[in-house]
């Protein structure tokens, strides 16, 4: 079964750091471009980061640029999101999501994990 | 950033009704438009990509149309399992952005 599963969500204080992981299974992870998308009740769904299959091309939303770092380990079938300088408005459910097409920059997200909750609060 | 505006924000319809949701982009996005379905507590599920292509495994009662700035998602005969929130998303450039969602309920 094609599957993504996020982990690492937690309650963290403002200014703190957190590392999210996304474990992939059931498909050739190294062939696919990947994304992180977050969701809050107030701002809805927000794309925050893209990384291509070989980690050569990376993009971020302005809201996280300079604070978040995306990476992947194809040997471990895993995607990561290092989040630093966390703020209250980073509170959200974080999803990893696979690009539908194997070419080009981000497009449709055809496989999503169940999400992991990050809460930034003192 | 391209703004995606969905309407209505919510609707109530009867089982068997034809339901249409619209999505308007703030600039021309050609056909780079996708539709997702999300039920409470679950991740979004891809329904339609490139404006009108049905994702594998999605029932044929779902269809999408449009190009440029105006798009629509139609459910030809609403079923109880279609109760969900629907989102459009463009990928014409970075950042890809989502509409605010349309909540579909059964009357």
């Amino acid at each position: 079964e094609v599957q993504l599963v996020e982990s690492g969500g937690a309650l963290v204080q403002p200014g703190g750091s957190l590392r999210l992981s996304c474990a992939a299974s059931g498909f050739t992870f190294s062939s696919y471009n990947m994304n992180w998308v977050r969701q809050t009740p107030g701002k809805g769904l927000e794309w925050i980061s893209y990384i291509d299959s070989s980690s050569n091309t990376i993009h971020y939303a302005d809201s996280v640029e300079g604070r978040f770092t995306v990476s992947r380990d194809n040997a471990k079938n895993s995607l990561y999101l290092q989040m630093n300088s966390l703020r209250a408005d980073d509170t959200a459910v974080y999803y990893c999501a696979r690009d539908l097409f194997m070419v080009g920059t981000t497009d449709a997200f055809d496989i999503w994990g169940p999400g992991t909750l990050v809460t930034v609060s003192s | 950033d391209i703004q995606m505006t969905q309407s209505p924000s919510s609707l109530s319809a009867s089982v068997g009704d034809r339901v249409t949701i619209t999505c308007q982009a703030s600039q021309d996005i050609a056909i780079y438009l996708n539709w997702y379905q999300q039920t409470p507590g679950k991740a979004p599920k891809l329904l339609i990509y490139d404006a009108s292509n049905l994702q594998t495994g999605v029932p044929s009662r779902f269809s999408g149309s449009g190009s440029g700035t105006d798009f629509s998602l139609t459910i030809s005969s609403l079923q109880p399992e279609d109760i969900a929130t629907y989102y459009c998303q463009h990928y014409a450039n970075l950042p890809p952005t989502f509409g605010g969602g349309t909540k579909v309920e059964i009357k």
Side-chain angles (χ1 to χ4, degrees), chain A residues 20-98:
Chain A
L20 304 184
S21 299
C22 171
S25 59
F27 66 99
T28 305
F29 179 71
S30 60
S31 296
Y32 286 85
N33 306 325
M34 298 294 296
N35 301 267
W36 287 98
V37 178
R38 67 185 181 185
Q39 185 171 29
T40 64
K43 291 188 68 176
L45 288 161
E46 180 188 17
W47 169 86
I48 58 172
S49 186
Y50 162 90
I51 183 169
D52 76 351
S53 59
S54 56
S55 303
N56 286 333
T57 300
I58 288 173
H59 296 290
Y60 298 99
D62 289 346
S63 59
V64 305
E65 179 87 57
R67 301 187 298 123
F68 290 12
T69 302
V70 64
S71 63
R72 65 191 293 164
D73 185 336
N74 288 340
K76 294 183 178 180
N77 292 330
S78 293
L79 175 72
Y80 306 101
L81 186 68
Q82 177 66 43
M83 304 186 294
N84 298 330
S85 303
L86 282 161
R87 312 184 303 222
D89 63 357
D90 293 317
T91 295
V93 174
Y94 284 74
Y95 297 101
C96 57
R98 190 182 82 169

Side-chain angles (χ1 to χ4, degrees), chain B residues 26-49:
Chain B
S26 60
Q27 63 189 72
D28 190 335
I29 59 170
I31 61 165
Y32 302 127
L33 189 283
N34 308 311
W35 289 97
Y36 299 86
Q37 175 194 64
Q38 186 177 34
T39 54
K42 301 288 189 180
K45 171 188 174 183
L46 179 64
L47 297 177
I48 302 282
Y49 63 94

